[in-house]
Amino acid sequence: MAEWERAVDVRTALLRMRRRGGLPVAFGGLFSGAQQFRISELTGTTTNSLRGLAIAAGNGLGGKVLTLSRPISVIDYPVSRAISHEYDGAVGAEGLRSVLAVPVVVRGRVRGVLYGALRQPLILGDRALSTAVEAARELEWALVAQDEARRLMTVAEQPVPEPEPDPAVWEEVRAAHVDLRALAQRVADPQLREEILSACGRLARASTGGDSAPRGRVRLSPREVDVLACVASGATNSAAADRLGLRPETVKSYLRSCMRKLG
């Protein structure tokens, strides 16, 4: 996924923190290397003192969040004894006092940190903290979707070996296709959602043979593949309907269609 798309996701999360959490200043960033991340996105700031600041694990508020992998807040950053003070110059130049930070965790790994701040030494209430945590979770979903889209597009682009591949390989592709389509419905960004659904279409064509399928091969629609994969994994008609956003009667209809095509 292009860096600018990741930047858009981070900025969307920060704007959500300001709108819903009553935080006049929000900033954050994602890891670009193994040991550090940089603050890349700012909203509500009056200077550029924080832009590009590299945060190391254990240092300052963000570094402590990286180490502990949990939200932390301080009432008065410049004098707080709960954190180290490597970044006091940058924080002071922006005039920040009360600051909270929440980790962005994807599959058990911290991928970045989001911050919200006030310019007065006031207690940050539950509203600000819960909003920041919610924004981080929504960013995590976007990152999961991006990672899954890249992985599945790589699978779809791999050449099909000859002779026919192990059926278990195609079963994995079909199951992944169902998961990705279900995940796409939870992505708020319309452009990212369309890219994920486009990848789904490619997977569906690959798993059903596409236009190059030999004569006599059954062609199932993407939705039919979704339903069959859900049922094959042990889901009931009702559970498959919930997972795919369909009615149970619609799931039954797809199953009848599949049985006709497959004989």
Side-chain angles (χ1 to χ4, degrees):
M1 189 65 62
E3 287 298 320
W4 71 267
E5 291 174 303
R6 297 175 67 203
V8 168
D9 289 332
V10 173
R11 191 164 185 82
T12 298
L14 297 177
L15 291 173
R16 185 175 291 115
M17 289 170 60
R18 291 186 66 196
R19 277 198 312 269
R20 301 179 185 173
L23 295 164
V25 180
F27 51 97
L30 300 174
F31 269 94
S32 57
Q35 301 298 323
Q36 291 184 333
F37 80 95
R38 292 184 181 274
I39 295 174
S40 58
E41 298 299 318
L42 313 170
T43 177
T45 53
T46 58
T47 74
N48 279 320
S49 64
L50 297 169
R51 187 176 298 281
L53 192 65
I55 308 299
N59 293 346
L61 179 62
K64 189 170 183 177
V65 167
L66 290 177
T67 301
L68 299 180
S69 188
R70 63 176 176 84
I72 302 175
S73 64
V74 294
I75 296 176
D76 198 351
Y77 189 102
V79 298
S80 174
R81 295 183 179 180
I83 59 172
S84 61
H85 290 274
E86 291 82 358
Y87 311 112
D88 281 6
V91 173
E94 186 58 43
L96 304 181
R97 302 293 292 276
S98 292
V99 185
L100 64 81
V102 297
V104 178
V105 184
V106 177
R107 294 191 174 99
R109 181 167 67 93
V110 178
R111 294 276 293 270
V113 177
L114 302 181
Y115 301 80
L118 305 175
R119 292 190 169 89
Q120 302 84 26
L122 302 174
I123 295 176
L124 291 161
D126 292 342
R127 174 189 172 196
L129 180 59
S130 62
T131 299
V133 170
E134 179 184 350
R137 297 300 171 265
E138 291 178 359
L139 177 56
E140 290 162 13
W141 270 109
L143 295 175
V144 167
Q146 293 170 15
D147 291 347
E148 194 70 3
R150 283 195 298 269
R151 183 182 73 83
L152 293 176
M153 288 180 70
T154 299
V155 171
E157 289 171 353
Q158 291 179 350
V160 178
E162 294 293 344
E164 286 288 317
D166 186 337
V169 175
W170 283 122
E171 198 60 39
E172 175 64 20
V173 172
R174 293 184 180 108
H177 171 264
V178 174
D179 291 341
L180 189 59
R181 284 180 65 95
L183 183 61
Q185 305 308 315
R186 303 181 64 173
V187 174
D189 186 299
Q191 182 176 351
L192 177 57
R193 184 167 58 251
E194 285 304 314
E195 290 180 7
I196 294 173
L197 291 174
S198 176
C200 286
R202 297 174 65 185
L203 284 170
R205 288 192 294 274
S207 63
T208 58
D211 294 335
S212 60
R215 185 182 304 274
R217 175 176 290 180
V218 174
R219 289 183 175 86
L220 301 179
S221 72
R223 251 335 190 197
E224 289 170 339
V225 175
D226 288 350
V227 170
L228 281 182
C230 279
V231 173
S233 69
T236 64
N237 289 353
S238 178
D242 288 342
R243 186 175 180 184
L244 299 173
L246 302 172
R247 295 188 305 170
E249 294 77 9
T250 306
V251 169
K252 293 178 183 178
S253 175
Y254 279 124
L255 288 174
R256 284 194 296 269
S257 175
C258 291
M259 285 188 283
R260 284 197 302 272
K261 290 182 178 181
L262 297 171

